[in-house]
């Protein structure tokens, strides 16, 4: 069974950058879709970005478009989220997830990591 482990979170000043990593153990099928979601304190978990495992197709939430970049390294079974120009409203726990549909609907994702905290100070 595939397990997802996130890392790379931390505390930064507004305008700073972080790169999150999500390492998957086990085999990831070519039909898989990998995504990042985030949950701010007291709020629901929201979609951030996704990428197909076997093509460069990506999708971003409007709130992060132009600032965040999702990528993958298939040989390393790793998905990245490069976050630039971070804002205080980006503060959240970030989760990596695996699904099989190209969708921002979190109910379609069946495998989740434990999350990594990102805190952006103003």
């Amino acid at each position: 069974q595939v397990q997802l482990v996130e890392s790379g979170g931390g505390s930064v000043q507004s305008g700073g950058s972080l790169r999150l990593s999500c390492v998957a153990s086990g085999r990831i099928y070519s039909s898989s879709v990998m995504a990042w979601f985030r949950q701010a304190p007291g709020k629901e978990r929201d979609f951030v970005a996704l990428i197909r495992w076997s093509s460069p197709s990506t999708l971003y939430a409007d709130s992060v478009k132009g600032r965040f970049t999702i990528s993958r390294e298939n040989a390393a079974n790793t998905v990245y989220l490069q976050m630039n120009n971070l804002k205080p409203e980006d503060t959240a726990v970030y989760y990596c997830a695996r699904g099989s549909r190209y969708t921002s609907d979190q109910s379609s994702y069946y495998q989740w990591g434990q999350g990594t905290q990102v805190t952006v100070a103003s």
Side-chain angles (χ1 to χ4, degrees):
Q1 184 176 356
V2 173
Q3 291 186 328
L4 305 176
V5 179
E6 304 99 331
S7 63
S11 297
V12 296
Q13 294 292 317
S14 182
S17 298
L18 283 173
R19 188 176 80 156
L20 306 183
S21 300
C22 171
V23 179
S25 62
R27 180 180 178 182
I28 300 180
Y29 292 97
S30 59
S31 58
S32 294
V33 175
M34 302 298 293
W36 289 94
F37 290 81
R38 66 186 182 186
Q39 187 167 20
K43 296 188 177 180
E44 295 185 351
R45 189 160 55 187
D46 291 329
F47 168 75
V48 175
L50 66 80
I51 188 168
R52 290 189 187 275
W53 193 248
S54 59
S55 86
S57 297
T58 58
L59 182 68
Y60 294 92
D62 288 344
S63 59
V64 306
K65 207 171 291 184
R67 299 188 297 123
F68 291 10
T69 302
I70 189 170
S71 62
R72 54 176 167 72
E73 186 177 354
N74 292 44
N77 266 18
T78 302
V79 177
Y80 302 100
L81 185 68
Q82 177 67 44
M83 306 185 294
N84 297 329
N85 191 21
L86 283 161
K87 304 175 181 180
E89 51 263 42
D90 295 317
T91 295
V93 177
Y94 284 71
Y95 297 91
C96 176
R98 180 173 80 118
S100 56
R101 293 181 58 211
Y102 190 83
T103 178
S104 59
D105 182 355
Q106 61 179 298
S107 66
S108 294
Y109 292 82
Y110 49 82
Q111 197 115 40
W112 294 82
Q114 82 288 350
T116 186
Q117 176 71 45
V118 171
T119 303
V120 185
S122 58

